[in-house]
Amino acid sequence: MMTVHEVSRLTGVSIRTLHYYDRIGLLHPAQTTASGYRLYDDTDLERLQHILLFRELQFPLKEIRTILDSPDFDTDRALEQQITLLRMKKEHLEHLIDFAHEIRKTGVRTMDFTAFDTKKMDEYAAQAKASWGETAAYQEYEEKSRNRTKEEEQMIGGGLMKLFTEFGGMMDRKPADDTVQEQVKKLQTYITEHYYTCTNEILKGLGSMYSGGGSMTENIEKAGGKGTARFVTEAIGIYCGK
């Protein structure tokens, strides 16, 4: 765990900015001590990396939160979009540099402004932004979460992690056990109540993500213990296959 001062030194993001990210729900610390000190874990730092990449591409903070909180957020997909946009930005800057060199050598002789054209990059960025918010699940999630306070968001997130803690306590049973299957139903109901309508199809997709690695798997393992993510994935597969 790292303090806000340590994260600031590591990333170059000011403490004031980190506090602001917390306040608007963009980046909550994993823990806040009784003395009010913010503590960040590896999952928080991974999210901060995505935030900084999207900020480098001049995405507004509200749109970054929309992307990162999307029910179907996928790290690989996001990185692919970020890399494409960064390459476009690099190409654009190289054109501007060449244009500036040409002006220095020959002077301004023609009114050529093509080097300043960012239409292609802007169109791709718009498509990338839109792709994260176009699903019915996300639109429902946005509606349900619109007026929630930070405390309410944390309480709901804590309730979700509690379900995975309970899954961890069931790993002495088979995934097909009635008690485990009832827990899967409980998970599905919780997601529907607090996030978006969790159909069996969506639940199956979530099950694959739970054990697919990255921050989601780490959070589940932290809550329920090593092996919980794979156990939940198997239990969901059985539940959705009935």
Side-chain angles (χ1 to χ4, degrees):
M1 302 286 276
M2 300 180 68
T3 66
V4 68
H5 291 83
E6 290 170 333
V7 172
S8 179
R9 285 197 298 269
L10 175 67
T11 64
V13 179
S14 71
I15 293 172
R16 182 178 180 181
T17 297
L18 290 170
H19 286 179
Y20 180 66
Y21 286 174
D22 183 15
R23 189 163 67 251
I24 65 174
L26 180 59
L27 180 68
H28 294 311
Q31 293 181 23
T32 302
T33 68
S35 303
Y37 292 106
R38 294 170 170 85
L39 297 176
Y40 297 82
D41 61 13
D42 290 345
T43 300
D44 300 324
L45 294 179
E46 179 184 333
R47 183 177 173 98
L48 181 56
Q49 286 177 336
H50 282 295
I51 292 170
L52 295 179
L53 279 170
F54 281 123
R55 287 297 289 157
E56 186 67 27
L57 297 166
Q58 300 181 342
F59 278 44
L61 294 178
K62 183 178 180 181
E63 292 179 356
I64 295 174
R65 182 183 174 187
T66 296
I67 292 170
L68 296 181
D69 289 344
S70 175
D72 58 354
F73 178 73
D74 179 85
T75 298
D76 290 339
R77 176 184 168 201
L79 285 172
E80 183 178 347
Q81 290 177 338
Q82 289 162 348
I83 290 168
T84 298
L85 280 167
L86 287 169
R87 283 175 175 161
M88 287 181 171
K89 185 176 182 180
K90 177 185 176 184
E91 182 179 347
H92 174 65
L93 290 173
E94 287 173 344
H95 287 164
L96 286 176
I97 292 169
D98 291 342
F99 182 66
H101 279 307
E102 187 65 24
I103 290 176
R104 187 170 67 175
K105 286 191 296 184
T106 64
V108 181
R109 296 189 177 181
T110 60
M111 292 299 177
D112 182 4
F113 291 90
T114 56
F116 298 95
D117 186 5
T118 62
K119 182 178 179 182
K120 183 178 179 182
M121 185 166 59
D122 292 341
E123 287 179 349
Y124 184 87
Q127 291 170 3
K129 294 172 189 177
S131 70
W132 294 101
E134 64 188 8
T135 65
Y138 178 75
Q139 291 168 7
E140 184 180 355
Y141 164 74
E142 189 176 46
E143 179 65 28
K144 287 184 176 181
S145 63
R146 179 170 293 130
N147 297 316
R148 286 177 187 161
T149 65
K150 171 188 169 183
E151 289 73 22
E152 289 171 335
E153 288 284 0
Q154 290 178 334
M155 184 178 67
I156 291 171
L160 182 63
M161 287 300 107
K162 184 174 181 292
L163 293 174
F164 291 118
T165 300
E166 293 170 355
F167 270 116
M170 299 177 184
M171 285 195 290
D172 58 334
R173 302 170 182 263
K174 299 289 186 182
D177 183 272
D178 288 345
T179 301
V180 179
Q181 290 297 295
E182 187 61 33
Q183 183 72 5
V184 173
K185 183 178 180 181
K186 187 177 176 182
L187 172 65
Q188 185 179 38
T189 300
Y190 190 90
I191 294 171
T192 296
E193 181 179 352
H194 296 288
Y195 296 100
Y196 44 83
T197 302
C198 187
T199 63
N200 280 11
E201 182 180 0
I202 289 176
L203 183 62
K204 187 174 181 180
L206 288 172
S208 298
M209 293 171 61
Y210 289 159
S211 59
S215 59
M216 186 173 291
T217 301
E218 291 174 6
N219 285 335
I220 293 172
E221 302 275 283
K222 190 184 298 183
K226 187 175 178 59
T228 302
R230 172 53 57 187
F231 180 74
V232 174
T233 296
E234 291 177 3
I236 289 175
I238 294 169
Y239 179 89
C240 294
K242 292 179 180 177

